[in-house]
Amino acid sequence: MNAPPRPRPATSEETVTLWRPTGPTELDLVRQSGWRAWPPRLPEQPIFYPVLNEDYAVRIARDWNVPASGAGYVTRFEVRRTFLDEFDVQRAGGETILEYWIPAERLDELNANIVGRIEVVRSFGHDPGGDRPRPHPGASSPSSPSLP
């Protein structure tokens, strides 16, 4: 089977915008990092799966994280393109179900290539609030409202 063509995700000149659906436990660990890094994978999690579009992340956060843990969050972050160029985009379903598969042993490298902070852009289920970084004003579109 041929690999899907590499889409051109939302980018600036040197970074790629990625999204990550997550539950409250992982989000708390991201908070503890100062919103700068993803926590190490558990032994049963050999791959870190950031996704290439917000809609796909919303579906996972809302439809999987909320039933599993009571809350789901969509995060957005920027990663240097030079790092991501080492990985193929993987199609995990339909044409818009696209993600990177970053081996757990390379997560520290991914974290070192995050530009700026990891931001929470959507929240579902019980939202305990807290000191989540919010999107910059004007960063959201009508299809992706920012948190209150």
Side-chain angles (χ1 to χ4, degrees), residues 8-20:
R8 295 220 167 244
T11 63
S12 71
E13 199 159 318
E14 66 178 41
T15 64
V16 176
T17 303
L18 297 176
W19 287 265
R20 168 89 176 153

Side-chain angles (χ1 to χ4, degrees), residues 22 27 31 35 54 58 61 71-76 118-148:
T22 188
L27 187 67
R31 179 183 291 116
W35 303 100
E54 185 177 5
V58 163
Y73 305 91
V74 175
T75 62
R76 178 178 60 209
I118 299 166
E119 297 177 307
V120 175
V121 294
R122 300 287 296 267
S123 173
F124 301 94
H126 171 69
D127 181 9
D131 60 345
R132 294 186 316 263
R134 308 296 168 97
H136 299 290
S140 297
S141 67
S143 66
S144 59
S146 61
L147 295 170

Side-chain angles (χ1 to χ4, degrees), residues 16-120:
V16 176
T17 303
L18 297 176
W19 287 265
R20 168 89 176 153
T22 188
T25 301
E26 185 175 61
L27 187 67
D28 189 51
L29 295 170
V30 171
R31 179 183 291 116
Q32 291 173 31
S33 79
W35 303 100
R36 302 268 182 210
W38 293 100
R41 303 289 82 203
L42 298 172
E44 66 273 11
Q45 300 172 322
I47 305 287
F48 179 76
Y49 302 94
V51 304
L52 277 73
N53 69 70
E54 185 177 5
D55 180 62
Y56 178 32
V58 163
R59 286 185 274 159
I60 295 169
R62 183 190 60 218
D63 301 343
W64 193 87
N65 291 111
V66 171
S69 59
Y73 305 91
V74 175
T75 62
R76 178 178 60 209
F77 57 106
E78 301 285 326
V79 177
R80 286 183 187 90
R81 179 182 297 281
T82 54
F83 174 76
L84 290 174
D85 282 347
E86 298 179 39
F87 303 93
D88 291 326
V89 171
Q90 303 295 320
R91 185 176 295 163
E95 289 185 30
T96 63
I97 310 298
L98 303 172
E99 53 196 26
Y100 282 103
W101 294 356
I102 311 296
E105 61 270 12
R106 303 227 23 220
L107 189 58
D108 285 342
E109 289 176 73
L110 173 103
N111 285 334
N113 281 282
I114 292 175
V115 176
R117 297 175 78 190
I118 299 166
E119 297 177 307
V120 175

